[in-house]
Structures are given as structure tokens and as C-alpha cells.
Amino acid sequence: MSESLGSAVPLSTTEPRPAAAQRVLPLRHPGRWIASAIVLVVVAQIVHGLATNPFFQWERFQYWFLRPTILDGLLITLEVTLYSAVLGLLGGILLALARLSESPVLRAVSWVYIWLFRSVPLIVVLLFLYNFSALYKTLSLGVPFGPAFLTFDESRLATDMVVAVVGLSLNEAAYAAEVVRGGILSVDQGQHEAASALGLPKGYQFTRIVFPQALRSITPNYVNQLIGLIKGTSLVFYVSLLDLFGSVQSMGSTYPGDIVPLLLVATAWYLILTSVVSVVQFYVERYYSRGALRSLPPTPLQKVRTGLRDLRARARKEAAI
């Protein structure tokens, strides 16, 4: 019985296919290759034009790039950016807390401040502050419509650096307030309820629970503001402060034949500054992603190592086949 059943089962005469025949071929994407080729051609044309066009005067670019005048202006740009970023962020935090306050007075005042400084162009704010001494010769602290306890000479306080930093900080605080407020609102409401249930003080809840979680949302948005602030410092030239752009403009007036290479020098330095800020942004975001992601995003160096490892593995696989 078993023999008849065994003989009834047909034996397969098909031999196993070789490994090369069983390999799965990837889906072809000719459109992607064509688009990549077009982009590479356009990029090559742009690079060729930049390198060969004598109008750019690259030898003069090299001459001006590290000149003391340019470096002095770069230092002023860094100082103005640093002071304005810190003061603007601190002011933005206070304004955001006022917008979220239960006090109608604080909410109204903070809303009006944000509305005003987001509506008025930055150059108008700077020029208004630069001519502020024409409106108020002295500044005083005291009782409204009463005696003054302290009096300051506005012309001595309002130096070019102070005007630039105050103007940029006032403008930056309005935008930073909305960034911070959005970050705080992005924190899950359960975190607030859990902190309140533990009986923690309001200040402790904000500094140790709410704000650290909000930083994951605040960081990328505020870094965009910081990059805009770096470029916005070019406007302080109009209040007689020779920052990087002001130094370039001044040298361009003295050497009109070098206007283009001087503008390229300013462009290169602004690119360097914003690139450094972008790198810092990546690592700050990566730091605050701990606990929110299953695995941290790889660093650029890790991406290069992974790409080389995959390339070697693919080459070994192709050689084995």
C-alpha cells in the first residue's frame, strides 16, 4: 500500500536555478537619472561661470577676505548677533509667558508688543532709535506726572552699538515670543496635569518639566530666527555701525573697482556664519531628541561611514555573484 502510494507521487525533475538567475532586479527609474544628469550639468555650468568669469576678480577676493577692516566688521557682527540673540530670547520667553498668563493686562500688553514689532520694519525701528535723542533729551525714572529720582543723558547712553543691539533685541523678542509660545503649547497637556498632581511649584514645573520638552520644538524654529538675525545685522550700517556689511560698503566706496569681490567676501562670511549655526542646530536638536525617538539621528560622519560600509558590502556581493 505504501509502495503504491509512493510510486504515485510524481518526482520533480526540475533542478534548482543558479543563484545569478534568482537575483531580484531593482526597479529602474530612468526619470530620476535624467533629472540628476540635468541638475549636474546646470551645477557644472554655474561653477564654470564662477571660476572663469573675470568679472568676479577672485584674486581681489583673496586679498580682501582676511583684511583687518573686514575682520573688525565681522567681530562687530558677531557681538551684535550674540547680544541681540540672548536679549531677544529672554524677552521672548517673558512675552510668551505673559501671553499665556491668566492676567488680562499681561496678555493684552504682550499681544500689542508682538503685533507692533512684527508689523514695523526693522530698519524703521533702528532709525527711530537712532534719532530718539531728538524726541527725548533725557530719560528719567520716577513717579508718573511726579518727581524723577534718576535722570540719564540719552545721548551718552545711546551709542551706535547700544542702538543696534536694542533695536535688534526689541524686534527679535517679538518673533521669539511666538516661537516660545508655540513650543510650550506643543507640550502634551498631560505633562502639565501630572506636574500639578505632584504638587510641584509653578516655577519648577516650567523650568524642569515643560520648558525642556518645549525646547525640541523651539530649537529649530528659533535657529531659523537666529540665522535671520545674523543677516539682519547688515541693517546696523544705517545707524553708523560698521559691521561686516558696513565695512564692505565703506571699502566699496573707497575702491569702486572692487565692489563685486567685496560683496563676494561678505557673502562668503555670511555663508560661513549661517553654516556654523546650522551645525550647532543639528547637535542641539539631536541632544533634545533623547527619549523622544527610538534611535538618535546619525551625525554626518556616521552617515559617511554607513554609506562607505554599504558600498563595500555591495561591491563584495557583486564580486561573489
Side-chain angles (χ1 to χ4, degrees):
M1 182 69 178
S2 60
E3 291 181 359
S4 62
L5 290 175
S7 60
V9 178
L11 297 176
S12 175
T13 59
T14 305
E15 297 180 358
R17 301 175 65 185
Q22 296 178 358
R23 189 175 61 162
V24 178
L25 296 178
L27 181 64
R28 303 299 181 184
H29 298 279
R32 183 185 304 172
W33 288 101
I34 294 173
S36 300
I38 293 175
V39 170
L40 289 176
V41 170
V42 173
V43 171
Q45 290 287 345
I46 294 174
V47 172
H48 178 266
L50 290 174
T52 59
N53 192 337
F55 187 73
F56 293 110
Q57 306 178 58
W58 291 109
E59 67 282 354
R60 299 299 295 170
F61 172 86
Q62 296 176 5
Y63 172 80
W64 286 109
F65 189 70
L66 295 176
R67 296 297 295 174
T69 303
I70 300 298
L71 296 181
D72 290 341
L74 177 63
L75 180 61
I76 293 177
T77 294
L78 293 175
E79 290 180 356
V80 173
T81 301
L82 177 61
Y83 297 147
S84 302
V86 173
L87 294 176
L89 180 59
L90 293 177
I93 293 174
L94 294 178
L95 287 170
L97 294 178
R99 284 289 309 272
L100 299 173
S101 172
E102 296 180 359
S103 170
V105 175
L106 294 179
R107 290 201 306 270
V109 171
S110 62
W111 183 90
V112 171
Y113 179 97
I114 295 170
W115 164 75
L116 177 63
F117 280 94
R118 289 203 304 176
S119 302
V120 179
L122 176 58
I123 184 63
V124 175
V125 175
L126 290 173
L127 291 176
F128 187 85
L129 292 176
Y130 187 67
N131 296 281
F132 196 71
S133 59
L135 298 175
Y136 298 97
K137 300 293 182 181
T138 59
L139 299 177
S140 60
L141 294 176
V143 179
F145 306 103
F149 302 126
L150 295 176
T151 303
F152 306 95
D153 187 355
E154 198 275 339
S155 60
R156 293 183 179 180
L157 293 177
T159 62
D160 296 338
M161 175 66 76
V162 171
V163 169
V165 171
V166 171
L168 289 170
S169 299
L170 292 174
N171 184 79
E172 189 69 14
Y175 291 93
E178 292 300 281
V179 172
V180 174
R181 187 173 71 91
I184 294 175
L185 293 177
S186 68
V187 178
D188 187 79
Q189 189 63 29
Q191 299 293 320
H192 298 269
E193 295 173 355
S196 300
L198 292 174
L200 299 176
K202 289 290 186 180
Y204 189 88
Q205 293 180 26
F206 178 76
T207 57
R208 300 304 297 273
I209 297 176
V210 177
F211 195 64
Q213 297 182 65
L215 281 175
R216 287 196 298 110
S217 175
I218 293 173
T219 299
N221 296 316
Y222 187 71
V223 171
N224 287 334
Q225 286 296 122
L226 185 58
I227 291 175
L229 177 62
I230 293 175
K231 296 182 293 184
T233 55
S234 60
L235 295 177
V236 302
F237 167 70
Y238 295 99
V239 294
S240 302
L241 188 63
L242 291 181
D243 67 323
L244 175 60
F245 181 74
S247 300
V248 167
Q249 286 284 84
S250 177
M251 291 297 99
S253 301
T254 307
Y255 303 91
D258 290 348
I259 291 178
V260 172
L262 282 167
L263 290 176
L264 289 175
V265 167
T267 301
W269 276 118
Y270 282 121
L271 285 173
I272 292 172
L273 294 178
T274 54
S275 299
V276 171
V277 173
S278 299
V279 172
V280 174
Q281 173 190 0
F282 172 80
Y283 284 98
V284 173
E285 288 183 10
R286 191 172 185 270
Y287 175 81
Y288 283 106
S289 295
R290 298 179 306 171
L293 302 176
R294 293 184 182 275
S295 59
L296 294 178
T299 63
L301 183 59
Q302 291 173 342
K303 290 181 179 179
V304 172
R305 290 176 178 175
T306 303
L308 293 175
R309 191 185 309 116
D310 294 342
L311 185 62
R312 287 195 298 265
R314 188 180 306 171
R316 287 195 296 266
K317 184 178 179 180
E318 293 290 340
I321 295 176

